[in-house]
Amino acid sequence: MGYPMVRMRRLREKEGIRRMIRETHLTLDDLVYPLFVAPGERVRKEIPSMPRNHHISVDLISEEAKTLYDLGIPAVILFGLPETKDPFGSEAWHEDGIVQRAVRAIKKAVSDLVVITDVCLCQYTSTGHCGLVDSSGTRIENDPSCGLLAEVALSHALAGADIVAPSDMMDGRVQAIRRKLDDAGFPHVLILSYAAKYASSFYGPFREAADSAPQFGDRRSYQMDPANSDQALREVELDLDEGADIVMVKPALAYGDVIRRVKDRFRVPVAAYNVSGEYAMIEAAAERGWIDRRSTVLEVLTSLKRAGADIIITYYARDVARWLRDG
Ligand code: PBG
């Protein structure tokens, strides 16, 4: 070691200097809060596996949206719990479906809040799968599913959604959706594709919250193998070619390397979904006093930004907004 000796610790000793050289800044501008729209009236019921997150009925949804907007949260993503399920998931693209009504209510009350809608069939199909199941009852049919997903996306655009977010992982659905939206006069509606969505164990609490667990088999024939990341780059490339504006990696925490590779390779807006199981793990440990909730959450979300995410979908968005507001 020659003279002068490089001392890295000089950079860390004073808070003021730490602030000046900080590389990653988490702000509310990056966060999207998920909302679960449920049937009924005057419903605001906490989801047991996801403390402080609620099932909310359409009549209360604009109030909720207004609160979030006033807290400084720029965007929400909507998930619907339909009144009825059938093999085709018909309520998913119904003009008066639960999500369509919720979008209209939110847009009427807080037009500047960015409304993203999850586009999928799994909450709406009796099979619980994200696409249509063929007559043998075993395979998911790709191309017919894309047609339906495009209908779902169009119905959301008609209701006023700013961004549609297909989460099904069928091949070609981004192109089908882009064409449908353009032909119907919605070229300005963006597509946020769940491009690299893994077949993950971290979705457990969500499937309970959204009542969307597959009734047979699993999702491994359409969602990605957690062991692969070259394949994620190919998935992202195809979605971008088909017209995706923003691409998502999901889950987030165990996939920081994938987020980074996607960001470095494509230099497009990248979203990361800090999913329900990631939320539940922190909640459970914090409840037992094993970790400190606030500092752990901020560390995790900052790590996703550091990995390269521009946008983070997180059930903690509301907590972060309060922490930033109240100091
Ligand atoms: C539906 C969908 C899922 C999630 C978002 N959209 C579940 C799944 O693919 O089984 C998971 C979100 C979460 O766990 O927070 N396709």
Side-chain angles (χ1 to χ4, degrees):
M1 209 183 323
Y3 178 86
M5 193 168 114
V6 177
R7 279 200 179 267
M8 291 306 287
R9 284 200 47 237
R10 274 201 283 268
L11 294 166
R12 299 197 281 266
E13 274 185 3
K14 290 200 175 122
E15 165 61 14
I17 292 172
R18 289 198 294 272
R19 270 176 66 196
M20 286 167 71
I21 62 165
R22 190 157 290 143
E23 298 173 34
T24 309
H25 296 273
L26 180 72
T27 79
L28 267 192
D29 297 340
D30 313 319
L31 305 185
V32 177
Y33 186 66
L35 285 176
F36 294 91
V37 196
E41 277 176 28
R42 313 292 313 160
V43 178
R44 191 171 190 282
K45 200 164 149 258
E46 190 169 60
I47 300 165
S49 55
M50 301 172 69
R52 300 185 308 293
N53 286 273
H54 299 82
H55 284 142
I56 303 166
S57 52
V58 173
D59 57 328
L60 299 184
I61 204 82
S62 54
E63 210 175 294
E64 189 80 8
K66 178 96 180 33
T67 310
L68 296 166
Y69 184 73
D70 289 343
L71 273 169
I73 293 171
V76 293
I77 181 164
L78 299 184
F79 295 95
L81 285 94
E83 311 214 340
T84 53
K85 296 180 192 259
D86 64 35
F88 311 102
S90 320
E91 204 182 313
W93 65 88
H94 198 283
E95 185 188 341
D96 282 318
I98 193 122
V99 166
Q100 292 79 355
R101 282 187 289 138
V103 173
R104 286 197 293 267
I106 294 173
K107 277 290 162 188
K108 203 168 151 203
V110 258
S111 59
D112 286 342
L113 182 70
V114 174
V115 174
I116 308 171
T117 54
D118 183 82
V119 173
C120 197
L121 297 178
C122 64
Q123 287 114 274
Y124 303 87
T125 49
S126 36
T127 61
H129 278 288
C130 303
L132 291 176
V133 178
D134 74 356
S135 51
S136 74
T138 53
R139 298 190 65 210
I140 312 301
E141 297 198 290
N142 192 85
D143 296 4
S145 301
C146 290
L148 292 185
L149 291 157
E151 292 297 336
V152 177
L154 176 59
S155 73
H156 292 174
L158 281 164
D162 300 292
I163 304 179
V164 293
S167 67
D168 51 283
M169 288 296 278
M170 297 300 129
D171 287 342
R173 90 279 207 215
V174 172
Q175 184 179 59
I177 290 171
R178 189 68 270 163
R179 282 215 178 119
K180 189 101 198 167
L181 292 177
D182 288 350
D183 289 349
F186 293 97
H188 51 279
V189 171
L190 284 80
I191 299 178
L192 188 177
S193 79
Y194 290 64
K197 177 172 178 182
Y198 287 88
S200 168
S201 299
F202 286 103
Y203 307 146
F206 174 95
R207 290 184 186 168
E208 192 186 310
D211 187 24
S212 66
Q215 296 307 300
F216 64 87
D218 53 43
R219 301 209 202 288
R220 281 185 293 179
S221 76
Y222 41 104
Q223 298 181 351
M224 282 185 56
D225 181 342
N228 298 343
S229 81
D230 284 347
Q231 196 179 65
L233 297 183
R234 184 85 179 116
E235 291 278 1
V236 166
E237 185 177 28
L238 288 171
D239 280 9
L240 288 171
D241 285 349
E242 289 178 30
D245 301 284
I246 306 171
V247 288
M248 179 142 72
V249 175
K250 174 184 173 192
L253 250 191
Y255 298 85
D257 58 324
V258 181
I259 297 172
R260 172 50 61 196
R261 288 191 76 187
V262 168
K263 188 68 190 175
D264 283 349
R265 170 77 68 97
F266 299 103
R267 295 277 152 206
V268 296
V270 176
Y273 199 140
N274 176 223
V275 299
S276 59
E278 300 171 13
Y279 181 82
M281 285 195 304
I282 295 181
E283 284 303 298
E287 197 184 291
R288 283 165 178 73
W290 289 347
I291 55 171
D292 177 66
R293 178 189 281 112
R294 178 176 167 154
S295 56
T296 307
V297 170
L298 294 175
E299 183 177 333
V300 161
L301 297 180
T302 301
S303 82
L304 299 178
K305 280 218 78 181
R306 195 190 63 229
D310 302 285
I311 298 168
I312 304 171
I313 301 179
T314 177
Y315 303 100
Y316 280 116
R318 186 197 297 261
D319 292 324
V320 173
R322 290 214 189 95
W323 295 333
L324 295 182
R325 186 192 59 188
D326 302 336

